[in-house]
PDB file of all heavy atoms in Angstrom:
ATOM      1  N   ILE A  11      23.781 113.592 -52.090  1.00 78.00           N
ATOM      2  CA  ILE A  11      25.053 114.086 -52.558  1.00 78.00           C
ATOM      3  C   ILE A  11      25.203 115.562 -52.141  1.00 78.00           C
ATOM      4  O   ILE A  11      24.220 116.311 -52.245  1.00 78.00           O
ATOM      5  CB  ILE A  11      25.171 113.949 -54.084  1.00 78.00           C
ATOM      6  CG1 ILE A  11      26.598 114.329 -54.567  1.00 78.00           C
ATOM      7  CG2 ILE A  11      24.097 114.714 -54.808  1.00 78.00           C
ATOM      8  CD1 ILE A  11      26.849 113.975 -56.003  1.00 78.00           C
ATOM      9  N   ILE A  44      14.708 120.622 -54.233  1.00 87.00           N
ATOM     10  CA  ILE A  44      15.663 121.169 -55.163  1.00 87.00           C
ATOM     11  C   ILE A  44      14.872 121.766 -56.297  1.00 87.00           C
ATOM     12  O   ILE A  44      14.164 121.062 -57.031  1.00 87.00           O
ATOM     13  CB  ILE A  44      16.654 120.143 -55.699  1.00 87.00           C
ATOM     14  CG1 ILE A  44      17.408 119.516 -54.545  1.00 87.00           C
ATOM     15  CG2 ILE A  44      17.579 120.718 -56.721  1.00 87.00           C
ATOM     16  CD1 ILE A  44      18.287 118.336 -54.941  1.00 87.00           C
ATOM     17  N   ILE A  57      32.391 135.110 -70.346  1.00 63.00           N
ATOM     18  CA  ILE A  57      31.813 136.287 -71.090  1.00 63.00           C
ATOM     19  C   ILE A  57      30.771 135.743 -72.080  1.00 63.00           C
ATOM     20  O   ILE A  57      31.120 134.908 -72.908  1.00 63.00           O
ATOM     21  CB  ILE A  57      32.922 137.069 -71.826  1.00 63.00           C
ATOM     22  CG1 ILE A  57      33.898 137.639 -70.818  1.00 63.00           C
ATOM     23  CG2 ILE A  57      32.309 138.160 -72.656  1.00 63.00           C
ATOM     24  CD1 ILE A  57      35.145 138.202 -71.399  1.00 63.00           C
TER      25      ILE A  57
END
Side-chain angles (χ1 to χ4, degrees):
I11 186 168
I44 300 173
I57 299 169

